Each structure stands twice: as structure tokens, then as C-alpha cells.
Amino acid sequence: MPSPGPIYLDYAATTPLDPRVREAMLPYFSEEFGNPSSVHGYGRRAEAALEDARQRMAELLNAQPEEIIFTSGGTESDNLALRGAALAARQQRGAIHLLISPVEHDAVAKTAAQLADHLGFTLEKLPVDEFGMVNPDEVAKRLDPEPALLSVILGNNEIGTVNPMSEIAAICRERGVPLHSDAVQSGAYLPLDVQKLGVDLLSIGAHKFYGPKGVGALYVRAGTPLLPTQTGGGHESGRRAGTPNVAYILGMVKAFELAQSELDRRVSRLGEMRNKIMNRILVDIPDSQLTGHPEIRLANHASFVFKGVDGNALLMLLDDAGFACSSGSACKTGDPEPSQVLLALGLSPEWALGSLRVTLGVDTTGEQINSFLAALPALVEKARALEAA
Ligand SMILES: *Cc1c(COP(=O)(O)O)cnc(C)c1O
């Protein structure tokens, strides 16, 4: 059901809860409230539901149930992957070098920076091409000193580009370097078969695919060393302490099942609308440029820069006109610094400050896209005039 308010074109920031997901969660907020660690019947029923969810999650990822750790969201999954694998690699083989791409989400980038600034690791960033894509050959050149961990985002939240993960994984596999990928943005648009992707660690977050906020998962390939970073009880096989949020976990798994089973249909419908947006904007708006790869990108994701525009001013003009969009990276409101991701593509600040991300979802209609495309050129001109004044 399209909402009656402003037109929502920010599905990469978050998605509404699928009603079928809410339905699946409801009993676990009331009669099925048990703690899965308890011995009695209430506990055993919660435990059975939790382990069934783990089994189903594992099947969707082509993994084993023991390889799934439930977390409080994409951010925690990224933190646990980076910190947990880095600390374990140092302990087991003395590796202290971290290798990440320059287009990571802050949940990866800032965790790696903290490991480097305060915990004795060294940090190196891979180069990317003009589309923000990592070249596997560049990975092969950078495995001395042997990294504790390599982290490369799958589908990029800011620019949509999808990285060639299986090629990168083949190189890491040969050298025995653990590979983490942040797939939080990819759950509704890419099949996430961890055997085909070849990754050792994979982060997922439910609210990017019509599940609840505050719940996620980390896949950890059997045999990959990982120290827990949240300590306490023996939950999640000692790898993530804390009473699990059974209702949210069941919601996430239900949402992931729906997203993956409806993936082809969503990708082809949204991909068509996205292509229309990309083509029209580049033709209709002078001094505009696509960011990210023109084809190898998330199906719902279009992103641009406009020369001489303040991205935040444009977002406010769009909001006034009834369109909810984003500049591409969250938490940038009032921040005059250009995005590190856009600078990594080689864009000058004059271009990088004028970014716009348009991301589509299940409720997006062709009519909404038409009214957006009709309104945008004049709003960009208005934002340019403000900047020039
Ligand atoms: C949203 C997002 C995150 C953070 O996930 P939360 O569940 O919101 O904590 C991490 N990485 C990427 C790529 C994301 O899009």
C-alpha cells in the first residue's frame, strides 16, 4: 500500500515492515515469550523456534546452522566480523594488517579505523575504479604482509555498485586470508549463496529487506577464527552473549525468505524503473553524473552528483515538494564534508557535495517515478541558484 504522505524513495535507508513478517512475529511478543535458555516448556518452545529460524536462515545462505550468529543488526554484524576476526587472527597467527575497500559503510570503516588507531593494527585501503569497484588483481598485489582480514562491501549502500566477490574470494582462499563482506544492502536484490560468493564472513541486516530494525545475522564459515566481542552468557555457541530477540529473529528470517523468493520479480520490476530514472536524469539535468557502475549495481538503486549543488539543500527542496530521498550516506545532515566514498571515485568536492540517492522498493509505482522525474530538474536548478547566491 503506497502511503498517502510524501513519496518514499529512500528504501536503502530502511524499508517498511512486511505485514506477513509482523504476523509471524506477533506470538513471540505475547504467549510465546519464553527465554530460549530456560529448561522448562516455555524456554524449550522458544529454543525450538530459534533453532528452526537458524536452520531456515542457513538454508537460504547455503550454509550450516552452526555458521549463523544472530545479532542486533547490520552494524553489530560488521563490528563482530571485523573486531572478532582481527583479534583472533592476531592471537592465532600474529597477523596485524587489515585490508578494506575505501567504499565501505562506516560500520566497517570506523571499526577498522579503531583497530588501527587504538588496538595496534595497521590499515590499508584498496584502490577502486571510477565506479567504486574493487579489482581482484589489486587484491592479489596486496597480500604481503599477510592480512588478518580483508573486508569488501557487496552491494554498495551509497553508489549501488556490486563487487566481484567470488573472484576476490578465490584469491583470498588460495592465500588463506579470511574475507568478510557487508551484504546488508544486498538481501533483497542479490542471491546470497555463501558458497558461490566464497566469503568467510557475511553481514546481513533485516530492516533493509522489509524485516524489523535492530536484528541481523553474521555468517561465519566453519573453521574461521572469531573472538566474541560481546561477552557474557554462552549464547550463540559462545560467540555472541545476550538473550536473543526471538520475535525479531523470526521476523528477519521470514522477511529474508520472502525477499529471496520474490527476488527475481522485484529485481526486474524495480530495475526497469531504475533504468528510466538513470536515463532521464542524465539527459534532463545539465552537469549531472551517475555515481557507481551503470549496470553492475543494485536493482533498486540510482545515484547521482550534480555540479555546484548543495546535496542537503536539494534534499530539503525535495522534501518540501513531497519526495523523501537521500544524499547517499546517513548522518550527514549539517555536515559540509564531502562523502569519503564519493571522493574515492575521484570526484572533486565541487561535484561530490551535490549527491542524490534515489532507491526504490516494493511499493514504488511508475506514477510516483513520473512525478519525481517531472519535478526534479527545476529543484536542481533552484538548489544551484541558492548555491550561486
Ligand atoms: C544499513 C547498513 C548497515 C547498518 O545496518 P543496521 O542494521 O542499520 O545497523 C551496514 N552496512 C550497510 C551496507 C548498510 O546499508
Side-chain angles (χ1 to χ4, degrees), residues 73-75 78 105 107 153 157 182 184-185 205 207-208:
T75 298
D78 284 342
H105 188 277
I153 192 166
N157 51 299
D182 176 343
V184 178
Q185 201 58 242
H207 77 95
K208 304 290 172 65

